[in-house]
Amino acid sequence: MSAAQPLSLREAARADMAGLAARHPETFRRVTAARARGVTVILAAIALLGFGLWRLDFSPGRIAGGFGQLVHFLGLMLPPDPGTWSRTVLILRGLAETLAIAFLGTLLAALIAFPLGFLAARNTSVNRLVQFLSRRVLDSIRGVDALIWALIWVSVVGLGPFAGVLAIMTSDIGTFGKLFSEAIEAADRKAVEGVTSAGGGKLAGIRFGVLPAVLPVMAGHVLYMFESNTRSSSIIGIVGAGGIGLMLSEMIRTLEWGVVAFIVLLILVTVAVIDTISGRLRAALAGVQPR
């Protein structure tokens, strides 16, 4: 009996598996349609990656050979050297200008995108046509990089920080509009239903039902984008849109590698400080303890 008992358990397990396979053939099939599609997508992605690397002349040998040159440049950049006192003042003034460009551009973009977010959200838009057109306009603006907007605005208003503010503002309108509309659509409908049941109209539902829920989320987005735009403002300065980027480009062009290292280090420290402050403010808005 003891030798026959395990055999009967195996047979019962095989019978159960056979029954499950008969009832759910798709699950037990080795090659299902979903698995075939998944494998096809993975193979297509690998093939596309290989084609792209070949078409763009990607060469691991060139990268390995360039490491020596990279080490050489790093050696030239050490130690960081701000240069003369007058140059240090110019660098700090350029950094302050960069921060001003990022702050003003982010703030103006948030103010303009605030009503656009309500027009682009399904639950607060006037109608489907307005919502569709608002989404497409925001997508079109967001599809152009801030550096391209900087080139456009430099051509329109000339060199200087004003063009930088306009570039950051224009680029962020599309980003803020999308983020704001998604936050509005994700807001809890119960508060709006409560306002409506108390006799409030659509505007009252938005004012008292939607806004209190989405304002902390929007503020968090604005703080994060200010941090990101500090880096972007450093880049757009290279094309003449003001800020420290113009001086960074000039130092690279004149091979002042010690000054380049000092400017890069200054930017990194500034972004780190803004990131810390922004993270604490976002955590306070979300009601969680900062890390």
Side-chain angles (χ1 to χ4, degrees), residues 30-90:
R30 290 182 177 273
V31 181
T32 62
R35 290 173 184 172
R37 285 194 297 269
V39 172
T40 302
V41 169
I42 292 173
L43 292 177
I46 293 174
L48 183 61
L49 174 64
F51 174 77
L53 293 177
W54 169 78
R55 187 67 181 82
L56 298 177
D57 196 22
F58 180 83
S59 173
R62 291 171 61 186
I63 295 178
F67 271 115
Q69 192 71 4
L70 177 61
V71 172
H72 173 68
F73 280 123
L74 290 176
L76 294 176
M77 295 173 70
L78 295 175
D81 180 18
T84 62
W85 172 250
S86 60
R87 177 178 288 175
T88 304
V89 172
L90 290 176

Side-chain angles (χ1 to χ4, degrees), residues 227-250:
E227 170 205 331
S228 176
N229 287 335
T230 304
R231 296 188 296 267
S232 299
S233 301
S234 304
I235 300 301
I236 64 175
I238 294 177
V239 298
I244 203 172
L246 183 61
M247 182 168 290
L248 178 62
S249 175
E250 184 65 25

Side-chain angles (χ1 to χ4, degrees), residues 3 7 18 31 42 52 72 86 91-92 131 134 145 167 173 193 202 214-215 218 228-229 242 248 259 272 276:
L7 183 61
V31 181
I42 292 173
H72 173 68
S86 60
I91 292 173
L92 294 177
Q131 187 257 342
S134 300
D145 189 74
I173 286 174
E193 293 171 357
K202 186 173 183 178
V214 301
L215 279 179
M218 291 180 176
S228 176
N229 287 335
L248 178 62
V259 182
T276 302

